[in-house]
Structures are given as structure tokens and as C-alpha cells.
Amino acid sequence: MSSRADLAEFIDLDPRLARARGEEDHYVPLFAADIRDWFAGRGWFDEPVELWLFDTDQGEAAARVMCHRSAALAAELDSAHASAPPLFFGAAEAVDAEALKELIAFLVERAEQVGASRIFGPVSPLPNVTGGLLTDGVDRPGFFDTAWNPAFFWPAFAEAGFDAWGPAHTWEVPVGSIPADRATTVTAAEWHRLGLRRRHVSRIGLRRFADRLLPTLNAAFSSLPYYTDISPAQLRSQMQGLSALMDPDLIIDITGAHDPDDAPPRCFALVIPDPVPILRRHGGHLGVRTVLDLLRHRRTLRDAVLIIQGTDPRHQGTGLLSLAIRELNSALVANGYRRLRVTFIAEDNPASAAVFARSGGSEMHRLVFVDRKLPPSSPEEHH
């Protein structure tokens, strides 16, 4: 794919197929600006991104996919020792199962052409794994910062010899079902007794929050099998635009009572009102109209999304997360939210899942990444 016209088709394929299949209230649009950055070679990913568009014999776009490489992610997946790095893919979309099978066959062919040791995805070319493929719960809508796909996706990949990797679930907590003791604001006396305090995060202070958040974020997630350290510039970019959307009451930043104001949090939670209903209306285009729409309807967004939470490893097991969840739940109740939705929690992390089960939540979607090892090829085969 090389022309601006192809780029427009690539961007608009997802919302077009969602409308045609009656999935407008389920799919999660990618940001058009991100796709344009991939096309233009802008960003912080390791190597150039390839965007591929597949047309029918009649010349109408029927499928799309993005291919990329990442040395950092390959190392985390223990592929650094392999004869060749993996081929990662994402932004996959297809009009039907037959088109998806053609797309998968292309991925295998492309991996062989570049001498890749395995195919892994769906993932975005960001500092960390974001994406995944739903295997269950496709009847329930996706939400911000998560994946959604039609039911025929997982069977097609499984039939093509892909294994499930890193199974996880998204979660949903009906705010009206949260037990009272899990939604009680932490009192000033409790903060004092525990030697802690909660820092308020304002819209104009969001960048400062991002800067002090980063050391805790990297430390808290460094042991995960897919996590690569995020730089300050990367985090600021990923949080860009949240100040207009955020509800300051939903961002939790807990530190020591006598820690400096710029000290990293001991425990944090980044939660925002879910903008996906508005993003769907604009097909992922984040232009002036979309921003105005978000600002105009910000107070009508009644679902919240927990994007990420973490505790400094030096303070894990001290009850900080329970305090953070109490503060979050009490704000959800006080501000009239309907649901809290939680981006994926791995099945091998039952402690995190239990936090939301105790708040009355339940699993919403099951998702996996798909992984197919490839036989070694000789250098002549891909020259």
C-alpha cells in the first residue's frame, strides 16, 4: 500500500464493515492518526510498518493488515535467540471468513519472505503489547483501549495452525453492585494513620502526573512477559488528549505522607470516561469535530475504563491497592457512573481479577494473542 487513496481505504474499512454487519455498537476503532503515523514512518517503533490492503476482483477493499518488527518485544517473548525475529501483525480486518483466510495465508507467505521465526499478534507497534483477539464474549461490545473482532476470527486463526498465547479477560463492574465497604472514601484519619496521602490530579496537572507515574509504571510491570520499558516521550504521547476527557476524581495517585510532591506514586490507577461511543461515530478520526463532540458530551459518558493500575513492587502486599480501589469505587458512585470496565487481566494473574470480583465484577471478554512458529528457512529462500 503506497498511495493516499489506499491509506483512506485502509482507515475507513473498519467502520464501513462494522456498519455493513450491524456492529457499529461493538467494534473499537483505531485512531486514524496512528494509522497515518504508521504509513508515514513516524513514531518510536523499531522498524518501518507495512500496511497491506486486499481488494476483491471488483476492486473493493475486503481485508487489511499491518505488519511490523520489534526487537524489544521479540526479546521479551524470548525470540532474541531465534534464527530470525518474529513478524508481528495488527489492525487486522476482513469482510468475512474467506477473506480472513486469504489474509492469514498472506501473513505466512510474508513471514517466509522475510525469514521470520514466528508470527505473533494482533499487536500494535507501541512500546508494549496492545491488542489481542477475542475468543469469547464477542456478543458484548468492546471499549476504549481494548480489542474487538467478529466471531469468525479466532476459528480461522486456529484452523491455520496458530496457538493461543497469554489468555486474558476484560472485566465489567456494575457500579450499583459494588458493596458499600468497597466504595467508602478513605478518611483523613485513615490516611494519617497509614502515613499516606492521595494527590489530586487536575487537567492541567496531567503531564506532571505522567512524569512522576513513569518509574512506578515501569517497575510494576517489568516482570510481565511482554512488557518493554516506556520512555517519558512515549507516555506523554499516549496520554495526549486525555486532559480534555478525564474526570479528575477517577485518577488515583497515592504516595507517602512526607514524600516530595514530585515523588513517584506508591500506587496508582488511570481511569477515564469511555469515549468509544463518540469515537465510533467518527470512525476513529480525531479531528476538530470529534474533539468538540467529546467536550460537548463528556458529562454524558457514564461508563468508565480502567486503562492501567499498578503498585511499586517495594510497596506491594501492604493494602495500597485496596485503598486505591475504595477511592475509585467511591468516585464512580458519587459521580453517577453506570459501569467500570477493565482492560485485560491475564488468567495467570488471579490476584488482580479478585480485586474486581470483590467489587461485584465479572469477566466480560476472553482474549488471546495468536502465535505460530515457523520452520527455519535457508537465507536463499528469502532473498
Side-chain angles (χ1 to χ4, degrees):
M1 202 187 82
S2 57
S3 72
R4 290 283 170 182
D6 286 344
L7 176 62
E9 273 197 288
F10 190 103
I11 290 170
D12 292 336
L13 181 64
D14 205 15
R16 175 167 69 79
L17 294 184
R19 287 192 299 271
R21 293 195 290 239
E23 297 165 354
E24 301 100 316
D25 294 335
H26 283 67
Y27 91 109
V28 179
L30 292 175
F31 283 117
D34 286 344
I35 298 173
R36 292 192 192 98
D37 281 350
W38 301 339
F39 179 76
R42 294 188 297 263
W44 47 75
F45 24 88
D46 299 86
E47 297 186 30
V49 171
E50 301 174 352
L51 301 182
W52 294 90
L53 195 63
F54 303 82
D55 289 346
T56 64
D57 292 339
Q58 291 73 40
E60 184 174 45
R64 73 179 193 190
V65 73
M66 168 265 293
C67 299
H68 63 105
R69 312 295 279 273
S70 170
L73 181 54
E76 289 298 319
L77 295 176
D78 197 29
S79 295
H81 66 279
S83 57
L87 179 70
F88 299 112
F89 75 93
E93 182 55 89
V95 65
D96 55 28
E98 288 305 310
L100 182 59
K101 288 177 183 177
E102 294 289 338
L103 186 156
I104 294 170
F106 164 79
L107 286 174
V108 175
E109 178 185 351
R110 187 68 184 134
E112 292 170 348
Q113 288 172 350
V114 300
S117 59
R118 66 200 284 192
I119 307 169
F120 187 93
V123 290
S124 294
L126 295 171
N128 291 284
V129 172
T130 59
L133 192 76
L134 297 196
T135 63
D136 292 292
V138 296
D139 56 316
R140 309 191 68 182
F143 53 92
F144 186 70
D145 208 37
T146 60
W148 189 88
N149 53 263
F152 61 82
F153 268 58
W154 165 241
F157 277 97
E159 184 181 329
F162 284 78
D163 296 320
W165 186 97
H169 295 268
T170 66
W171 278 70
E172 181 175 87
V173 180
V175 173
S177 300
I178 298 174
D181 64 342
R182 300 286 295 171
T184 305
T185 304
V186 181
T187 65
E190 283 182 281
W191 289 125
H192 179 74
R193 177 172 56 81
L194 295 167
L196 299 169
R197 63 188 170 106
R198 177 182 170 186
R199 287 180 290 209
H200 179 73
V201 179
S202 67
R203 288 190 172 85
I204 61 173
L206 187 63
R207 179 166 176 165
R208 291 193 298 275
F209 169 68
D211 288 344
R212 64 178 182 259
L213 169 70
L214 193 58
T216 306
L217 175 63
N218 282 331
F221 290 91
S222 61
S223 63
L224 294 180
Y226 54 78
Y227 190 83
T228 61
D229 275 0
I230 299 176
S231 73
Q234 289 165 352
L235 185 61
R236 287 185 199 130
S237 178
Q238 288 180 296
M239 293 178 66
Q240 197 171 25
L242 289 187
S243 58
L245 176 66
M246 65 180 275
D247 178 344
D249 293 339
L250 300 184
I251 296 183
I252 312 299
D253 177 357
I254 298 175
T255 191
H258 303 295
D259 287 351
D261 285 343
D262 61 351
R266 298 186 182 187
C267 182
F268 71 89
L270 178 58
V271 182
I272 64 167
D274 186 4
V276 156
I278 293 170
L279 295 177
R280 287 185 184 121
R281 290 207 292 265
H282 296 272
H285 293 274
L286 199 58
V288 174
R289 289 183 179 178
T290 310
V291 172
L292 290 175
D293 211 359
L294 284 167
L295 291 172
R296 189 180 305 118
H297 297 286
R298 183 174 62 202
R299 297 185 185 281
T300 68
L301 300 174
R302 294 297 87 200
D303 292 337
V305 177
L306 191 152
I307 296 175
I308 195 166
Q309 68 176 35
T311 303
D312 185 317
R314 295 171 298 178
H315 300 285
Q316 288 175 358
T318 61
L320 283 173
L321 183 56
S322 292
L323 296 175
I325 294 299
R326 279 177 54 193
E327 287 286 280
L328 172 61
N329 287 345
S330 64
L332 292 168
V333 172
N335 294 1
Y337 286 92
R338 180 176 51 179
R339 292 180 283 236
L340 172 68
R341 287 169 168 167
V342 184
T343 55
F344 76 89
I345 299 174
E347 288 183 357
D348 62 3
N349 186 9
S352 289
V355 168
F356 300 101
R358 287 195 294 269
S359 290
S362 58
E363 295 170 351
M364 188 175 178
H365 308 107
R366 182 179 185 270
L367 66 159
V368 300
F369 298 95
V370 297
D371 186 19
R372 176 172 161 177
K373 305 290 196 305
L374 298 175
S377 60
S378 64
E380 296 80 22
E381 289 182 72
H382 45 85
H383 278 291

